[in-house]
């Protein structure tokens, strides 16, 4: 007889016990979709030339007012606009092209 503090199940016993517990309480796994936190998850897609052009127009017209730029572009939300603009700003600064950055 083992005292409670010194007894440990063998790896095989532990795996069998865990397996029984899993099957006894079988529930489907929880899967979390990757979202921006503001709505349902949508498939990622590339930015079109027209969307990028409208983003740049919106930046010139509205500065960093993302809600107004969102209305101007029409096909992307504010979080997507901010993310794309941030990547674009890094690219412009790296290239040193002197393009407008608000």
């Amino acid at each position: 007889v083992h005292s409670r503090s010194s007894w440990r199940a063998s790896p095989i016993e532990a795996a069998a016990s865990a397996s029984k517990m899993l099957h006894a309480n079988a529930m489907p796994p929880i899967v979390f979709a990757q979202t921006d936190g503001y709505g349902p998850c949508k498939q990622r897609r590339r930015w079109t030339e027209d969307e990028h052009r409208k983003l740049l127009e919106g930046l010139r017209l509205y500065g960093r007012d993302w809600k107004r730029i969102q209305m101007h572009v029409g096909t992307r939300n504010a979080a997507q606009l901010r993310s794309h603009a941030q990547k674009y700003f890094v690219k412009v600064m790296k290239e040193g092209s002197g393009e407008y950055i608000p």
Side-chain angles (χ1 to χ4, degrees):
V1 176
H2 296 285
S3 70
R4 200 164 180 80
S5 61
S6 67
W7 183 82
R8 292 189 182 196
S10 73
I12 294 172
E13 291 171 327
S17 177
S19 177
K20 286 178 189 175
M21 289 173 50
L22 287 174
H23 293 298
N25 300 319
M27 291 184 62
I30 298 172
V31 178
F32 295 98
Q34 184 178 5
T35 69
D36 61 3
Y38 295 103
C41 181
K42 291 189 177 182
Q43 192 73 350
R44 292 182 186 195
R45 62 182 178 85
R46 294 187 63 82
W47 278 69
T48 65
E49 288 181 24
D50 189 51
E51 287 173 323
H52 184 73
R53 181 185 52 78
K54 286 181 180 180
L55 169 64
L56 296 180
E57 285 175 0
L59 286 167
R60 285 187 195 93
L61 293 170
Y62 309 117
R64 294 187 186 207
D65 186 343
W66 302 111
K67 289 295 181 184
R68 290 180 78 182
I69 297 172
Q70 178 180 337
M71 299 286 287
H72 187 77
V73 174
T75 55
R76 300 288 181 153
N77 65 36
Q80 291 169 320
L81 294 167
R82 286 191 306 270
S83 176
H84 187 73
Q86 181 181 21
K87 292 171 191 168
Y88 173 72
F89 297 155
V90 168
K91 177 184 171 191
V92 167
M93 291 177 69
K94 190 182 287 187
E95 291 175 353
S97 63
E99 291 185 56
Y100 174 73
I101 298 176

